[in-house]
Amino acid sequence: MLFGVCLSPEALLALSADNLKCQTQVLYPKTKSPDAKRQVVITGVGIISPLGVGWDENSRGFRAGRTAFGPITVFDSSRQRVRQGAQADLPANLPSSQFGSRLLTRLERAGRMLFVAMHQALGQAELALDERSGTNVPIVLGTTSGGMRFGEDYYREALGNLGARRFQPTRALCYQAQFQSRLVASAFGLKGPVSIIANACASGANAVGHASTLVREGIADVVITGGYDALCQLVFAGFDSLQALSPTVCRPFDARRDGLSLGEGAAVFVLESRHHARARGAPILGEIVGYAAATDTHHLTQPHPEGDAAFLSMSQACASAQLTPTDIDYVNAHGTGTPLNDSAEAAAIRRWAGARAASLPVSSTKSSIGHLLGAAGAVEVAVCLMALRGQWLPPTSTLQIPDPACLFP
């Protein structure tokens, strides 16, 4: 599945994915906002990543090109070929909410990251929710494995102790992504519909795009959206068994790149119609100006060598935003560090950008935090918003020897 979202003041975001493989391009254009049914603005952002918790820590880390890779400690990785990744430093105590301590035990690692990011986003947006307003706020979230670690615990207990009953019903219920999301929503008084998008590593940004459509089409004045995922042994072992993980370091667009690195995190946004945000005096951090989607059917795990679907996604996202490649000032690429993705993505960017490719800045922030799967696209939206507001460009921090096949000029 390929999709595009446009972010402004002023940014364009084009992302692509198809179940087991995905590409993400976040495009940052010059100031230009198209006429639309309703303008969709961002009034709150929450983020937790391997670089830290909150806007300031992450902004400093991405701007400096800091890397966050190290040994995996959140589960036993001793039997894996690769034993490193990018872990987030999850706060020991969660922020205050309507939750009781008993309910907090039903949030696993991914749900706790979502909780932290949502608390930040709602706080920055200064969004006061009452019994009525909380019912009218939809939630659209992307994830790939949600609360999978509870599922892992269930099977370990079931296999290790055939007579085990204690906590097993809770694990079976709470590992589901929709349950984790509903728990977090209820903690903040959000009672609107919850939608989960599980579209591999496009999930988070796909959720942002869908949420923006709800606001643009007048279905809702406010939508909470984003993506979240945590490191878990099942997913890690799966990527490792495919030998998709780098045994060295994730090096997007490098001639010696040898695979991706996995990370974890969450990013949540409060989206509103501009009219609604202005009416309540909310801070406006940026604007989403378009959205598009396409699908790569070339191969189950390999992108089309020329990046056909990525090219279509970027082209349609630009058309949706009434922008051209000459309006784009930065592309935050999917840039996984795998041999096939990076060359295909570079080819797609060159085709889409044309003459603009010779001077277009492109980088991959997965070089700092790895691939966050369902959280990847959402965190990259946050990174682009940070870059827009701070007027800096995030580097591909681990790039050493550029691959001629991945050069954009």
Side-chain angles (χ1 to χ4, degrees), residues 206-249:
N206 221 156
V208 175
H210 179 65
S212 70
T213 301
L214 296 180
V215 177
R216 192 178 311 283
E217 296 297 325
I219 297 172
D221 287 321
V222 181
V223 180
I224 311 300
T225 186
Y228 68 104
D229 255 329
L231 287 166
C232 66
Q233 190 166 15
L234 176 67
V235 174
F236 193 93
F239 275 94
D240 196 33
S241 66
L242 292 171
Q243 298 191 18
L245 298 182
S246 169
T248 56
V249 65

Side-chain angles (χ1 to χ4, degrees), residues 360-377:
L360 179 63
V362 178
S363 73
S364 169
T365 45
K366 289 182 178 67
S367 60
S368 288
I369 60 172
H371 198 325
L372 308 194
L373 300 179

Side-chain angles (χ1 to χ4, degrees), residues 320-335:
S320 173
Q322 299 180 23
L323 296 167
T324 68
T326 58
D327 298 311
I328 306 303
D329 283 339
Y330 167 66
V331 178
N332 186 308
H334 188 48

Side-chain angles (χ1 to χ4, degrees), residues 73-98:
T73 61
V74 293
F75 58 82
D76 181 8
S77 62
S78 61
R79 299 175 63 185
Q80 304 303 141
R81 180 182 66 101
V82 174
R83 302 184 183 90
Q84 68 173 8
Q87 295 181 185
D89 187 9
L90 187 61
N93 298 314
L94 295 181
S96 61
S97 71
Q98 299 178 23

Side-chain angles (χ1 to χ4, degrees), residues 3-4 35 47 54 84 89 106 110 140 149 151 166 177 209 214 264 267 275 312 328 330 351:
F3 60 93
D35 293 332
I47 180 173
Q84 68 173 8
D89 187 9
R106 298 184 180 180
V140 184
R149 294 186 65 185
R166 185 172 172 80
L214 296 180
E264 61 183 357
H275 174 77
L312 180 60
I328 306 303
Y330 167 66
R351 288 172 60 196

Side-chain angles (χ1 to χ4, degrees), residues 148-159:
M148 185 55 68
R149 294 186 65 185
F150 276 152
E152 294 174 351
D153 291 344
Y154 177 92
Y155 281 106
R156 287 193 188 99
E157 185 70 14
L159 293 174

Side-chain angles (χ1 to χ4, degrees), residues 106-340:
R106 298 184 180 180
L107 279 181
E108 62 90 76
R109 188 172 178 85
R112 286 171 175 259
M113 290 183 184
L114 176 61
F115 187 102
V116 170
M118 190 172 293
H119 180 268
Q120 294 172 13
L122 293 173
Q124 185 177 34
E126 300 177 354
L127 190 63
L129 299 171
D130 55 27
E131 186 70 24
R132 179 178 178 277
S133 62
T135 304
N136 295 332
V137 178
I139 302 168
V140 184
L141 298 170
T143 188
T144 60
S145 54
M148 185 55 68
R149 294 186 65 185
F150 276 152
E152 294 174 351
D153 291 344
Y154 177 92
Y155 281 106
R156 287 193 188 99
E157 185 70 14
L159 293 174
N161 183 0
L162 297 181
R165 292 290 183 271
R166 185 172 172 80
F167 300 126
Q168 288 295 73
T170 298
R171 293 185 181 112
L173 178 66
C174 295
Y175 93 94
Q176 300 174 79
Q178 71 271 17
F179 190 90
Q180 293 288 304
S181 301
R182 185 172 62 81
L183 276 178
V184 173
S186 64
F188 296 108
L190 295 164
K191 300 173 183 173
V194 177
S195 300
I196 302 295
I197 295 179
N199 187 26
C201 35
S203 303
N206 221 156
V208 175
H210 179 65
S212 70
T213 301
L214 296 180
V215 177
R216 192 178 311 283
E217 296 297 325
I219 297 172
D221 287 321
V222 181
V223 180
I224 311 300
T225 186
Y228 68 104
D229 255 329
L231 287 166
C232 66
Q233 190 166 15
L234 176 67
V235 174
F236 193 93
F239 275 94
D240 196 33
S241 66
L242 292 171
Q243 298 191 18
L245 298 182
S246 169
T248 56
V249 65
C250 178
R251 288 171 288 192
F253 304 120
D254 194 285
R256 297 179 298 173
R257 65 189 184 278
D258 55 5
L260 58 86
S261 294
L262 289 180
E264 61 183 357
V268 173
F269 306 89
V270 177
L271 305 187
E272 301 183 50
S273 68
R274 182 179 289 273
H275 174 77
H276 186 274
R278 283 181 168 171
R280 68 181 192 86
I284 294 178
L285 306 175
E287 179 185 356
I288 297 180
V289 296
Y291 176 72
T295 300
D296 186 341
T297 59
H298 173 69
H299 187 272
L300 184 63
T301 59
Q302 301 173 15
H304 189 283
E306 295 300 315
D308 283 357
F311 169 77
L312 180 60
S313 175
M314 289 185 285
S315 299
Q316 290 182 337
C318 274
S320 173
Q322 299 180 23
L323 296 167
T324 68
T326 58
D327 298 311
I328 306 303
D329 283 339
Y330 167 66
V331 178
N332 186 308
H334 188 48
T336 59
T338 56
L340 294 177

